[in-house]
């Protein structure tokens, strides 16, 4: 059974293997855990059968008006089962009082986020690929972003 929780203080690093698929360098499970714990809010999906985190979403926010969703990822073997939808539903529900919730995504994913009432908007971003240099090498694949 898939269980959802925002109690990320209970998550252990060893439950966080296999994420950042396709990134040339991936955050370690310890860094990933620090990302979750350092967020305004995060929700994880846990497969109780394997005790593994199989999906996560996090939000950073000023807590008053605005929030940003940096990460949403579901492990490949768990995709297409509604887990991403439930993670988004839960993180957005807790942000109903905010003026704006933003995220960045590739164009093909825009229809996915439109399902949650989000609208495409122009944006700007500064990416420092050198920030990935200290991270462990990943399984390979293309470099997003
Ligand atoms: C995007 C992602 C989080 C969706 O999670 P999920 O649990 O598979 O999603 P759900 O089962 O709730 O919904 C599946 C729907 O998302 C759509 N979808 C998933 N990935 C997509 C993509 N890259 N482009 C367009 N649509 C996509 C599927 O086509 C499916 O549509 P359908 O309901 O009409 O069949 C997951 O595919 C993922 O982790 N992808 C890799 C990381 C990523 O791209 N994260 C988003 C960064 S902005």
């Amino acid at each position: 059974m898939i269980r959802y929780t925002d109690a990320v203080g209970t998550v252990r690093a060893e439950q966080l293997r296999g994420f950042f698929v396709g990134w040339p360098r991936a955050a370690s499970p310890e860094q990933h855990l620090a990302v979750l714990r350092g967020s305004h809010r995060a929700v994880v999906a846990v497969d109780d059968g394997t005790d593994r985190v199989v999906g996560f979403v996090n939000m950073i926010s000023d807590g008053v008006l605005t929030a940003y969703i940096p990460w949403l990822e579901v492990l490949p073997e768990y995709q297409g089962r509604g887990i991403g939808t439930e993670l988004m539903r839960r993180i957005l529900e807790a942000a109903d009082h905010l003026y704006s919730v933003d995220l960045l995504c590739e164009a093909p994913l825009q229809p996915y986020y439109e399902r949650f009432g989000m609208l495409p908007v122009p944006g700007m971003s500064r990416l420092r690929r050198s920030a990935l240099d200290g991270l462990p090498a990943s399984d390979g694949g293309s470099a997003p972003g």
Side-chain angles (χ1 to χ4, degrees), residues 70-75 78-86 103-106 108-109 111-113 115-116:
W71 298 102
L72 168 70
E73 187 173 355
V74 174
L75 292 180
Y78 288 84
Q79 289 177 11
R81 302 188 198 177
I83 295 173
T85 298
E86 183 61 16
L103 59 79
L104 292 174
C105 71
E106 302 286 342
L109 267 169
Y112 182 72
Y113 290 115
R115 296 179 188 180
F116 307 104

Side-chain angles (χ1 to χ4, degrees), residues 14-72:
E14 60 266 26
Q15 292 178 288
L16 289 168
R17 306 208 177 275
F19 287 99
F20 304 99
V21 172
W23 287 77
R25 298 190 174 275
S28 67
E30 290 74 19
Q31 288 166 323
H32 189 171
L33 186 59
V35 166
L36 296 179
R37 292 188 177 167
S39 297
H40 176 70
R41 188 157 185 259
V43 184
V44 298
V46 182
D47 182 340
D48 272 335
T50 61
D51 193 34
R52 193 176 176 199
V53 172
V54 299
F56 78 100
V57 63
N58 73 322
M59 175 178 279
I60 55 179
S61 176
D62 57 26
V64 181
L65 285 175
T66 66
Y68 180 72
I69 296 176
W71 298 102
L72 168 70

Side-chain angles (χ1 to χ4, degrees), residues 86-97:
E86 183 61 16
L87 290 168
M88 280 299 293
R89 192 189 68 73
R90 286 174 181 247
I91 203 102
L92 287 175
E93 186 179 60
D96 265 349
H97 61 293

